């Protein structure tokens, strides 16, 4: 689901770039998603394993910074010039509750960005100490760009803010085009990072060894990775609701992995060293976030169902 979300994001960025130069309605979102899926598949075939990314991680940083700076500056500029905005959550009381619960799943999805520095920190001893340093850095300094874009965007446009922020901003065409292109390229790289563990598991399972350019190895990557991304691309084009997929991903993967599993693992590992109040605290976390995960899953499915009725499948959003 994370990778489906990235393909939707890449397709949205591609369409936004096209609309800037030629808004004739010919290149629709499903076509852009298909193009994005093809590019992601080509990248997956050409990058055989995670460590082969190397220089691409540097590009990823540049793309992210370009997007953040441009989005922030254009949103700030619009916010200073805009009339008073509406910040109310739209809909009736029940709808607002579901929206808030879905937004909580969106938040944990968006802020689940500590994985890469955490993995990289385990390369060098002492592993635990380095891992904690990486996580402390990520969730202090690392979250500032996320806060910057999120709060500035909402302040500038209120509740009418588009799911894809660059669809709301105003500015020079070339500046917006640059931001959209960086968002597209960053989505391709980020998808590969999240998909790589599965790719490498399959390579190991089916004995793929030796040169990445070996005909057998290349054919395996084209069929397996290409087939996987083709399925993801079909789902992305079929239900291109980015915010809804982010909510669903946060609800059934990020909530359980980050809050439920982690607490349970800690209880199992430290069961003889924890007093009753400490055990109670971890069980309360497990119980609360289990309820949140279930509620957020229901909320996300409801949002997808509503959007599926509002917009036909393969919608051009």
């Amino acid at each position: 689901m994370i990778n489906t979300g990235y393909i939707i994001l890449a397709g949205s960025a591609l369409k936004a770039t096209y609309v800037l130069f030629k808004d004739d309605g010919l290149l629709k979102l499903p076509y852009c998603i298909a193009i994005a899926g093809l590019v992601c598949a080509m990248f997956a075939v050409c990058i055989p394993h995670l460590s082969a990314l190397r220089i691409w991680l540097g590009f990823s940083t540049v793309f992210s910074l370009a997007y953040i700076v441009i989005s922030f500056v254009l949103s700030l500029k619009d916010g200073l010039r805009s009339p008073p905005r509406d910040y109310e959550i739209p809909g009736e009381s029940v709808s607002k509750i579901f929206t808030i619960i879905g937004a909580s799943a969106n938040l944990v999805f968006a802020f689940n960005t500590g994985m890469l520095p955490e993995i990289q920190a385990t390369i060098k001893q002492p592993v635990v100490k380095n891992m904690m340093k990486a996580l402390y850095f990520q969730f202090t300094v690392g979250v500032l760009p996320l806060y910057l874009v999120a709060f500035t965007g909402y302040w500038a446009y209120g509740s009418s803010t588009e799911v894809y922020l660059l669809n709301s901003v105003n500015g020079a065409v070339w500046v917006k085009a640059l931001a959209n292109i960086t968002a597209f390229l960053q989505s391709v790289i980020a998808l590969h990072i999240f998909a790589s563990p599965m790719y490498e598991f399959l390579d190991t399972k089916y004995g793929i060894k030796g040169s990445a350019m070996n005909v057998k190895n290349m054919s395996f990557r084209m069929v397996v990775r290409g087939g996987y991304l083709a399925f993801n691309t079909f789902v992305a084009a079929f239900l291109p609701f980015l915010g809804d997929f982010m909510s669903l991903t946060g609800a059934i993967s990020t909530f359980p992995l980050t809050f439920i599993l982690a607490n349970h693992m800690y209880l199992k590992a430290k069961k003889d060293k924890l007093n009753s109040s400490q055990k109670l605290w971890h069980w309360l976390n497990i119980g609360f976030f289990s309820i949140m995960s279930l509620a957020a899953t229901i909320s996300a499915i409801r949002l997808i169902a509503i959007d599926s009725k509002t917009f036909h499948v393969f919608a051009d959003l």
Side-chain angles (χ1 to χ4, degrees):
M1 287 189 298
I2 290 173
N3 296 329
T4 299
Y6 273 122
I7 294 172
I8 296 173
L9 177 57
S12 299
L14 198 60
K15 186 192 172 186
T17 305
Y18 178 81
V19 169
L20 286 173
F21 297 98
K22 196 172 183 181
D23 191 8
D24 55 10
L26 292 178
L27 190 62
K28 301 183 184 298
L29 181 59
Y31 305 153
C32 292
I33 288 174
I35 295 169
L38 178 61
V39 173
C40 289
M42 291 170 62
F43 191 78
V45 171
C46 294
I47 307 295
H49 42 75
L50 189 59
S51 57
L53 277 171
R54 293 180 182 173
I55 193 172
W56 290 103
L57 294 178
F59 284 124
S60 174
T61 303
V62 173
F63 295 149
S64 296
L65 287 174
Y67 173 84
I68 289 164
V69 170
I70 293 172
S71 299
F72 169 69
V73 171
L74 294 182
S75 297
L76 182 63
K77 182 180 174 184
D78 286 347
L80 293 172
R81 295 178 176 179
S82 298
R85 278 79 71 191
D86 180 15
Y87 296 105
E88 286 291 321
I89 300 172
E92 302 296 327
S93 298
V94 174
S95 178
K96 287 182 180 181
I97 293 171
F98 277 109
T99 300
I100 292 168
I101 294 172
S104 70
N106 260 333
L107 282 172
V108 295
F109 173 86
F111 282 87
N112 188 33
T113 52
M115 184 182 78
L116 192 58
E118 183 182 354
I119 292 171
Q120 289 173 327
T122 61
I123 296 172
K124 183 181 175 183
Q125 295 290 340
V127 172
V128 175
K129 187 176 180 180
N130 290 333
M131 188 190 303
M132 293 307 297
K133 281 183 180 179
L135 290 174
Y136 285 139
F137 177 82
Q138 175 60 27
F139 291 107
T140 52
V141 177
V143 297
L144 292 180
L146 296 177
Y147 281 133
L148 199 65
V149 173
F151 283 103
T152 306
Y154 192 70
W155 165 76
Y157 308 108
S159 57
S160 63
T161 308
E162 295 281 350
V163 174
Y164 180 59
L165 181 61
L166 289 178
N167 285 337
S168 295
V169 303
N170 298 293
V173 170
W174 72 269
V175 176
K176 292 175 66 177
L178 177 62
N180 282 311
I181 291 169
T182 59
F184 172 78
L185 296 173
Q186 168 62 3
S187 299
V188 174
I189 298 171
L191 184 153
H192 191 78
I193 292 171
F194 279 93
S196 281
M198 185 195 69
Y199 294 158
E200 298 202 20
F201 165 76
L202 291 172
D203 288 349
T204 303
K205 181 178 175 64
Y206 292 100
I208 302 301
K209 299 177 182 178
S211 172
M213 299 306 295
N214 180 286
V215 174
K216 175 190 172 184
N217 295 350
M218 180 72 77
S219 301
F220 181 84
R221 292 202 302 276
M222 290 177 67
V223 172
V224 174
R225 299 184 186 188
Y228 166 74
L229 288 170
F231 174 76
N232 274 267
T233 301
F234 174 78
V235 175
F238 190 73
L239 298 170
F241 312 122
L242 179 59
D244 299 352
F245 265 96
M246 287 175 63
S247 293
L248 188 59
T249 304
I252 70 173
S253 66
T254 313
F255 264 133
L257 289 174
T258 306
F259 299 106
I260 301 171
L261 181 62
N263 277 283
H264 191 265
M265 289 173 69
Y266 192 81
L267 278 170
K268 296 292 286 184
K270 301 279 188 178
K271 59 182 177 181
D272 297 327
K273 299 178 181 178
L274 300 176
N275 58 42
S276 56
S277 60
Q278 289 174 319
K279 289 180 180 178
L280 178 62
W281 167 250
H282 288 289
W283 278 115
L284 285 173
N285 275 310
I286 291 170
F288 175 75
F289 287 109
S290 295
I291 294 169
M292 282 296 297
S293 178
L294 178 61
T297 301
I298 295 170
S299 174
I301 292 173
R302 177 180 177 273
L303 287 169
I304 291 174
I306 290 173
D307 283 341
S308 297
K309 290 180 181 178
T310 306
F311 305 99
H312 58 78
V313 294
F314 298 104
D316 182 30
L317 302 179

